[in-house]
């Protein structure tokens, strides 16, 4: 007996450790679950108040017993009541029943369930809610689960289920289908007959194929998460029928066959979209933002988007996050960008595109801006002085452009945590910025032709690492007084202002491991 107990304890410990690992890797998901948990718990209390008077329907009881055995019931974190007495009458943990003894809910989330789902579960003819997220259930997801006509919520997120989804799903009451973070493969069902379905999440599986146009037959769909699979384009224009859709997530799909999908013009009918996060797109961004007027988050990254930033984007009155990074967008940053909401707008990232021209100097109106990322473009001209009025600004990434001139004194009152402006053509720093620079935790000024001497607080600033014009990449080997070079590394040892050759070692571009640097005037790379 003692031996068995010890084994159980070890199993439990292992489960807890494993859960910790899962938790830390998916905190966001977990928070969502915690909320859902509370809701479920409250529902529980309600139901148990009216604890059923009649004994449980025999077929439900059989199914529960088989379920218990096939998912390691004795090792569950909580299993109070199970297998003793009647499920409904003795209130087995996680079970909810009707007064007539039909089991309508099984909620056993993060409860250490392991093993397989028995097909017998699908014989529970009145089951409405099956919530088993964050367990270790493995094996094939029995297709028969999709025959339980009474199902309203099926939530099997974060298990190890494999197999395919059925090609047809007809569940008249189903509102929420969550199968995220499993190992399900195969295609999306090609036919849906689920008039009440509001939420579908199959993210983080191995599903393949293009999206079936039949998804458009879900009139109440609000939430669709297809991220982290192997789906491919093109996107069906028919999705335009999903006029209730609020969230569409299609990120990191690894499908490589086929061309990157474009956003069909017909999608302008998705007037309730709030959250659109789709990467790997191609073509131009369609000018449809006047119809997507409720948009709060627009994230289109890692694709081949071309064309300019559509003007209609500036009319998004509720936009909070704008990310169009790692694409091939051309043109300038239109000054209408400053007409975005002064209260909601917090984050703009247009990095790694082909944007050119001067930045508009109108950022003062974006009071709540916290992050501005325009790095790796071809912007030129001065740094916008108006940014100094964005008092919530936390990070400013403008690296690898062609900005010239000075860091403006208007930035004096900013309390930046991060400033990256390396790889530009900046040459001076206005007076009065000492305080500003001391507050910055992550600061990169290198690869700019700073006219030295810079103020001492900067020239000795090993956090920011400003480089003198003499160490500027173009002329570092020719005009430097003391230039060290070898076949692997070469850098200037001109003095404290020069990154290449100060005791900070060479810049990243010399490909020298920090542990190999030889510091000081004899600086070299010890390979
Ligand atoms: C079902 O999905 C909707 C839409 O995403 C969501 O608001 C709701 O909280 C979900 N309900 C349950 C019970 O999970
Ligand atoms: C945004 O601005 C409004 C008004 O200026 C302010 O009340 C609100 O707290 C700000 N929000 C954030 C996140 O700073
Ligand atoms: C950047 O702009 C300059 C003109 O301002 C142009 O000569 C150069 O080719 C552009 N570079 C890229 C990578 O687009
Ligand atoms: C700055 O660095 C120079 C050269 O290393 C040194 O002589 C000087 O004392 C330093 N100044 C301050 C204020 O640390």
């Amino acid at each position: 007996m003692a031996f068995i107990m010890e084994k159980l304890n070890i199993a439990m410990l292992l489960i807890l450790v494993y859960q910790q690992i899962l938790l830390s890797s998916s905190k966001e998901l977990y928070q969502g679950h915690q909320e859902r948990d509370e809701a479920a718990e409250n529902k529980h209390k309600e139901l148990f108040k009216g604890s059923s008077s009649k004994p449980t329907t025999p077929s439900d009881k059989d199914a529960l017993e088989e379920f218990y055995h096939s998912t390691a019931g004795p090792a569950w974190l909580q299993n109070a009541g199970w297998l003793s007495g009647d499920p409904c009458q003795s209130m087995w943990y996680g079970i909810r029943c009707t007064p007539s003894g039909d089991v309508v809910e099984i909620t056993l989330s993060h409860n250490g369930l392991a093993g397989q789902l028995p097909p017998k579960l699908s014989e529970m003819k009145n089951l409405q809610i099956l919530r088993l997220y964050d367990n270790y259930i493995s094996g094939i997801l029995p297709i028969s689960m999709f025959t339980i006509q009474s199902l309203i919520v099926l939530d099997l997120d974060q298990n190890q289920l494999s197999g395919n989804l059925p090609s047809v799903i007809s569940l008249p009451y189903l509102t929420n289908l969550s199968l995220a973070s499993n190992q399900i493969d195969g295609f999306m069902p090609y036919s849906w007959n689920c008039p009440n379905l509001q939420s579908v999440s199959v993210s983080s599986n191995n599903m393949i194929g293009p999206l079936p146009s039949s998804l458009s037959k879900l009139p109440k769909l609000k939430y669709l998460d297809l991220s982290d699979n192997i789906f491919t384009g093109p996107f069906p224009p028919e999705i335009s029928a999903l006029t209730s859709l609020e969230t569409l997530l299609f990120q990191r799909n690894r499908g490589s066959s086929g061309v990157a999908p474009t956003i069909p013009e017909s999608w302008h009918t998705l007037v309730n979209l709030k959250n659109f996060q789709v990467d790997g797109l191609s073509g131009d961004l369609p000018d449809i933002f006047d119809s997507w007027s409720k948009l709060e988050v627009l994230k289109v990254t890692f694709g081949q988007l071309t064309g300019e930033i559509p003007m209609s984007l500036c009319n998004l009155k509720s936009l909070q996050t704008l990310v169009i990074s790692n694409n091939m967008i051309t043109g300038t940053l239109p000054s209408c960008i400053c007409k975005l909401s002064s209260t909601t707008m917090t984050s703009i990232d247009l990095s790694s595109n082909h944007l050119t021209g001067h930045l508009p100097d109108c950022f003062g109106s974006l009071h709540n801006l916290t992050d501005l990322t325009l790095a790796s473009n071809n912007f030129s001209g001065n740094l916008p002085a108006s940014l100094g009025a964005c008092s919530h600004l936390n990070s400013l990434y403008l690296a690898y452009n062609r900005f010239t001139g000075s860091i403006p004194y208007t930035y004096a009152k900013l309390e930046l945590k991060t400033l990256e402006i390396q790889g530009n053509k900046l040459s001076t720093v206005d007076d009065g910025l000492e305080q500003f620079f001391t507050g910055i935790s992550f600061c990169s000024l290198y690869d700019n032709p700073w006219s030295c001497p810079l103020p001492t607080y900067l020239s000795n600033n090993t956090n920011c690492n400003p480089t003198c014009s003499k160490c500027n990449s173009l002329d570092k080997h020719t005009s430097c007084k003391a230039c060290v070079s070898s076949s692997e590394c070469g850098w200037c040892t001109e003095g404290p202002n020069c990154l290449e050759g100060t005791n900070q070692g060479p810049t990243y571009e010399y490909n020298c491991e920090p542990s190999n640097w030889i510091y000081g005037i004899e600086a070299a790379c010890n390979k």
Side-chain angles (χ1 to χ4, degrees), residues 298 319-323 344-349 368-373:
L298 175 65
L319 199 64
Q320 297 164 7
T321 302
L322 170 63
V323 183
T344 64
M345 199 63 215
T346 52
S347 182
I348 298 177
D349 181 354
N368 279 351
L369 197 63
T370 59
D371 302 276
L372 180 64
T373 304

Side-chain angles (χ1 to χ4, degrees), residues 353-357 377-380 402:
N353 279 291
H354 302 323
L355 292 162
T356 54
N377 277 288
N378 201 6
F379 288 119
S380 53
R402 302 159 65 86

Side-chain angles (χ1 to χ4, degrees), residues 43 93 277 288 327 424 441 457:
K43 220 182 264 167
Y93 177 80
Q277 301 191 38
I288 55 178
N327 278 288
N424 279 289
S441 313
Y457 75 84

